[in-house]
Amino acid sequence: MPDPTLWVLRGFDRHLDLWISEFDPDQDLINLVTAWVLSRFEDPFQGVRREQGFDNLWWGHVPLSLRDDTVVVCSYFVHERERTVACNSIVPLSLPT
């Protein structure tokens, strides 16, 4: 029986695979982003903010993911009633110059 205190993650594996295949990050960054994704099981609201104008869309950067003036950013929808977190994207975002 699943732990009722944990959230259900949906689509994160697919978006991780897409990010890895498209951007070819190093293994340390893959491990860092994967660990951050797994932390969403316990608290999907930690270190992210709600995007205005969208129902339940949250986003944030992965701490310590800065590489070559880009940081990895993730967005997802939180469905509190169902305790699910549905990934929308995992992408690198260039810092402003």
Side-chain angles (χ1 to χ4, degrees), residues 4-5 15 22 24 31 38 41 59 62 66 75:
T5 65
H15 285 281
E22 187 169 343
D24 193 30
N31 294 345
L38 293 176
F41 275 117
W59 70 275
V62 177
L66 180 63
S75 66

Side-chain angles (χ1 to χ4, degrees), residues 50-59 77:
R50 181 179 241 152
E51 182 62 31
Q52 290 183 336
F54 293 90
D55 289 339
N56 302 323
L57 180 63
W58 294 77
W59 70 275
F77 293 93

Side-chain angles (χ1 to χ4, degrees), residues 3 5 10 23 26 29 33-34 42 44 56-58 62 65 90:
D3 185 338
T5 65
R10 300 201 189 282
F23 298 101
D26 63 54
L29 188 55
V33 173
T34 301
E42 294 180 13
N56 302 323
L57 180 63
W58 294 77
V62 177
S65 67
I90 299 174

Side-chain angles (χ1 to χ4, degrees), residues 18-38:
L18 286 170
W19 168 66
I20 291 167
S21 67
E22 187 169 343
F23 298 101
D24 193 30
D26 63 54
Q27 190 61 51
D28 287 340
L29 188 55
I30 292 170
N31 294 345
L32 180 76
V33 173
T34 301
W36 183 88
V37 165
L38 293 176

